[in-house]
Amino acid sequence: MGKSRLVKALIEELVRVGKHVIVFDHSGVDYAPHFRDRVITSKEIAISPPTIASVIAEKARLNWQTFGEYLEVAVITYVSGDKKVRKQQSTQLIDQQPSAQANQVVKWDKALFTKHLVDSMRGLGARDSTVEKARLFIDYFIENEFFDELNRRTLSPMDIVNMALKSSPIVIDLSLDPELVVKQAIVADVIDAAWRLVKNNKAPLDLVFVIDEAQNYVPENEWTICGDVIETTAREGRKWGGLSLIVASQRIARDVRASIRANLGTVFFSRLSAQGDLREIAAYMDLADVSEATLAQLGTREFFVAGLMNPLRKPILIRVRDA
Ligand SMILES: Nc1ncnc2c1ncn2[C@@H]1O[C@H](COP(=O)(O)OP(=O)(O)O)[C@@H](O)[C@H]1O
Ligand SMILES: [Mg+2]
């Protein structure tokens, strides 16, 4: 119906009035081609250790309740080169690359990490069957390339935020990371970096995050790696950090967590694909006499806008410009 084109027009307007914008382009076709010289591919972006632990748990289907803490400890001690548990590996690493000792850059490797995890779990007193399951499932479900690619991710999420603050928009093309959990990890870490900056600077950033195809990132009734930081941004971003969100999806309920959609200041809506969606919007917006029959007559590019952006108590019908 022209959602992504509407969002593209909103991005251009935000940039025009001096806001900073980071766009997460889920499939690399909606934004990257339109902002060509502003694109960064997500493959370059580093994933933080706690997020790596979540990605490993998701990929290997290891439930967080049992394995979360072990994975977090193992990933963090792996990257920090914890002496006690990594003695053997360190000597191996130094043999391979003499400079590794100096700047402690960890080389990600599936076999080395798995061995480290096993040692670390044993050290923490995990049961043999729990250790064995972790080892087996990582071996079975996670391919070597996942670990190899971690070595090539060198741009920090904080770099991305700083780039956007200098010159916007920044479009993160997520299409070369086909795995949803990795896309979610990038989204989580970039937004998290912005929050860290807000807390360190104690000054609002005036930064907007664009999350299209939101059903992949903040679906209802399903935990995702980036869900909580997006929810925090929806609830508290404007108040504390000058952080805002644009979320777009086909549907409102089901595609977007209730706690997020209840915190959206402005809603654009068009022909709705599901019955209950209009009632859903009506729960927190004054829709006057707009009905499903009215919406059924709308064409591509036509949207009603209601909420903070609209000074009237009636939704305004807009037509998105050529884009
Ligand atoms: N404002 C617009 N200007 C030009 N073409 C548009 C506009 N809105 C929609 N279109 C056309 O409709 C197609 C689908 O629009 P898009 O925004 O990608 O829809 P959605 O995100 O809802 O799937 C676009 O590829 C384009 O051809
Ligand atoms: Mg779209």
Side-chain angles (χ1 to χ4, degrees):
M1 299 304 303
K3 295 183 298 295
S4 298
R5 296 302 179 101
L6 163 62
V7 172
K8 174 177 169 280
L10 291 172
I11 294 165
E12 288 162 353
E13 288 305 300
L14 285 166
V15 169
R16 193 178 61 79
V17 300
K19 304 286 177 190
H20 310 294
V21 184
I22 296 178
V23 184
F24 298 103
D25 194 349
H26 178 74
S27 49
V29 297
D30 287 320
Y31 305 97
H34 299 286
F35 300 100
R36 259 174 213 283
D37 49 347
R38 317 289 322 152
V39 179
I40 288 168
T41 155
S42 61
K43 275 248 189 284
E44 300 171 54
I45 304 174
I47 306 176
S48 70
T51 306
I52 290 175
S54 298
V55 173
I56 291 174
E58 291 283 309
K59 279 176 69 75
R61 307 184 197 183
L62 294 169
N63 81 62
W64 192 253
Q65 235 169 357
T66 309
F67 295 93
E69 223 159 44
Y70 296 129
L71 285 168
E72 284 187 321
V73 169
V75 170
I76 289 170
T77 50
Y78 188 84
V79 297
S80 64
D82 190 306
K83 302 267 166 6
K84 224 168 44 218
V85 266
R86 286 199 67 213
K87 212 181 278 159
Q88 274 177 309
Q89 296 158 23
S90 305
T91 40
Q92 241 175 308
L93 261 184
I94 292 159
D95 289 342
Q96 286 165 3
Q97 38 178 155
S99 65
Q101 202 178 16
N103 56 10
Q104 276 293 320
V105 179
V106 180
K107 185 176 184 311
W108 278 99
D109 174 89
K110 182 174 166 179
L112 286 180
F113 174 74
T114 308
K115 172 153 192 332
H116 175 77
L117 174 67
V118 166
D119 292 347
S120 158
M121 285 178 77
R122 289 214 176 103
L124 293 168
R127 287 162 48 193
D128 286 349
S129 57
T130 312
V131 177
E132 183 55 14
K133 178 169 175 179
R135 192 195 63 73
L136 199 64
F137 276 41
I138 288 174
D139 190 46
Y140 186 81
F141 286 115
I142 309 185
E143 58 296 359
N144 291 330
E145 292 87 78
F146 168 74
F147 290 96
D148 294 341
E149 278 173 0
L150 290 177
N151 296 313
R152 271 172 253 134
R153 298 178 181 272
T154 52
L155 205 56
S156 81
M158 192 63 87
D159 294 337
I160 306 286
V161 172
N162 283 318
M163 286 162 81
L165 294 178
K166 233 179 254 152
S167 172
S168 277
I170 293 291
V171 176
I172 300 177
D173 178 352
L174 295 156
S175 62
L176 291 177
D177 275 312
E179 259 181 301
L180 189 53
V181 287
V182 175
K183 292 178 200 264
Q184 292 169 351
I186 301 284
V187 172
D189 279 357
V190 171
I191 300 180
D192 195 60
W195 273 107
R196 266 186 288 131
L197 199 58
V198 166
K199 283 167 189 161
N200 291 343
N201 291 3
K202 301 196 167 59
L205 297 184
D206 243 352
L207 177 60
V208 183
F209 297 105
V210 176
I211 301 167
D212 200 341
E213 307 292 348
Q215 71 279 9
N216 294 298
Y217 300 92
V218 285
E220 191 152 35
N221 305 324
E222 195 188 316
W223 185 87
T224 63
I225 292 174
C226 55
D228 294 347
V229 73
I230 295 175
E231 180 179 329
T232 304
T233 308
R235 265 193 290 109
E236 302 171 22
R238 271 166 299 172
K239 199 167 31 164
W240 298 110
L243 301 178
S244 324
L245 283 176
I246 295 178
V247 294
S249 77
Q250 192 82 30
R251 293 200 46 189
I252 295 181
R254 199 191 63 191
D255 280 3
V256 180
R257 276 191 198 185
S259 50
I260 292 177
R261 56 187 201 252
N263 280 293
L264 300 172
T266 299
V267 175
F268 295 86
F269 56 100
S270 184
R271 265 150 91 161
L272 299 171
S273 53
Q275 285 284 318
D277 274 351
L278 192 63
R279 229 177 309 119
E280 173 65 37
I281 303 170
Y284 42 86
M285 303 268 156
D286 194 345
L287 296 186
D289 52 2
V290 172
S291 67
E292 302 206 348
T294 326
L295 294 182
Q297 295 168 35
L298 298 185
T300 307
R301 303 188 195 197
E302 291 179 330
F303 291 84
F304 278 108
V305 54
L308 290 178
M309 191 191 208
N310 176 352
L312 308 180
R313 299 245 292 278
K314 257 168 146 357
I316 297 177
L317 181 60
I318 59 161
R319 184 168 190 279
V320 179
R321 68 189 179 208
D322 279 337

